[in-house]
């Protein structure tokens, strides 16, 4: 569905939600929620989730939330995601149940979000990088991509997280080697 048509439907839905809530027309609210639930895609999922939350449409909110978790890598590349405030980004990146191919995707998401407005967002790197589960990042990626990144080079917090991850990995390797003997 074209983006303009989707936005128009969402705007109309917002108006219908507001009217239904004011008039206590729960069936109308649920009907609007059902329509919104069918419109969910990676470009509007965050907006629909937010609308559903505001108007207490738990079914639509849950459907949008699950859609976002299952398709996080695509959603994180959308204009809607890249416009989020830092607290929202941290909230999403901190969710244990987001589905990504690898933890490297989380780091790339952080860089994409910062690149939208480096001057204002770069200062949030330390907060954001805390959401990366470094023990799950490949050693190769840490040494090549992360090691050459200027934000990483300038962040003591990130360097400490990387050292911690290396220490944990070395302990796991020793434990595994020991259990083989």
């Amino acid at each position: 569905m074209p983006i303009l048509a989707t936005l128009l439907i969402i705007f109309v839905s917002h108006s219908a939600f507001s009217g239904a809530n004011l008039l206590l027309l729960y069936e109308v609210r649920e009907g609007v929620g059902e329509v919104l639930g069918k419109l969910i895609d990676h470009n509007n999922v965050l907006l629909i989730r937010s609308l559903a939350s505001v108007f207490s449409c738990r079914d639509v909110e849950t459907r949008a939330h699950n859609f976002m978790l299952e398709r996080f890598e695509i959603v994180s590349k959308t204009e809607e995601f890249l416009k989020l405030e830092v607290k929202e980004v941290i909230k999403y990146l901190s969710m244990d149940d987001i589905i990504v191919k690898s933890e490297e995707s989380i780091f790339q998401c952080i860089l994409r979000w910062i690149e939208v407005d480096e001057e204002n967002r770069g200062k949030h790197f330390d907060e954001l990088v805390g959401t990366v589960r470094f023990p799950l990042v490949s050693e190769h990626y840490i040494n090549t991509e992360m090691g050459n990144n200027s934000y990483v080079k300038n962040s003591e917090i990130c360097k400490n997280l990387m050292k911690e991850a290396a220490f944990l990995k070395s302990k796991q390797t020793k434990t595994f080697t020991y259990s083989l003997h």
Side-chain angles (χ1 to χ4, degrees):
M1 176 175 286
I3 292 175
L4 188 56
T6 302
L7 289 175
L8 180 61
I9 292 170
I10 291 171
F11 174 75
V12 170
S13 299
H14 181 269
S15 300
F17 265 142
S18 296
N21 272 350
L22 286 173
L23 299 172
L24 302 174
L25 299 172
Y26 298 110
E27 293 82 13
V28 172
R29 185 184 71 193
E30 293 304 312
V32 171
E34 190 174 315
V35 170
L36 277 180
K38 291 178 181 177
L39 292 175
I40 295 171
D41 68 24
H42 62 277
N43 288 308
N44 65 21
V45 65
L46 298 173
L47 176 61
I48 289 177
R49 183 174 182 255
S50 177
L51 275 172
S53 175
V54 167
F55 293 104
S56 300
C57 282
R58 299 293 171 234
D59 182 48
V60 176
E61 184 179 6
T62 300
R63 204 173 331 163
H65 179 77
N66 291 339
F67 182 98
M68 188 268 309
L69 292 175
E70 293 167 2
R71 295 165 183 86
F72 184 78
E73 289 188 54
I74 296 169
V75 172
S76 72
K77 294 176 184 175
T78 64
E79 189 176 327
E80 188 177 358
F81 184 88
L82 295 174
K83 288 180 180 179
L84 292 174
E85 295 294 321
V86 68
K87 287 181 183 180
E88 290 284 314
V89 174
I90 291 170
K91 179 179 86 175
Y92 289 125
L93 295 179
S94 298
M95 292 179 176
D96 289 331
D97 43 358
I98 60 172
I99 298 170
V100 292
K101 290 179 192 165
S102 66
E103 203 62 23
E104 288 89 340
S105 300
I106 300 297
F107 184 75
Q108 292 165 354
C109 174
I110 291 168
L111 296 180
R112 265 193 313 277
W113 184 84
I114 288 174
E115 286 172 2
V116 169
D117 184 5
E118 285 188 65
E119 190 175 319
N120 293 310
R121 293 181 175 187
K123 63 186 174 199
H124 298 294
F125 179 77
D126 285 344
E127 292 172 81
L128 291 161
V129 81
T131 63
V132 177
R133 294 157 185 91
F134 281 93
L136 302 177
V137 177
S138 75
E139 189 174 329
H140 174 75
Y141 190 83
I142 287 175
N143 293 330
T144 56
E145 300 296 321
M146 294 177 108
N148 295 322
N149 183 280
S150 61
Y151 288 109
V152 172
K153 289 179 181 178
N154 295 318
S155 172
E156 288 304 313
I157 290 173
C158 187
K159 289 180 205 173
N160 288 335
L161 290 168
M162 290 165 60
K163 286 177 191 173
E164 237 177 76
F167 176 74
L168 287 172
K169 285 180 180 182
S170 71
K171 283 183 75 170
Q172 285 178 337
T173 303
K174 287 177 185 175
T175 303
F176 181 70
T177 304
Y178 177 74
S179 67
L180 291 176
H181 296 294

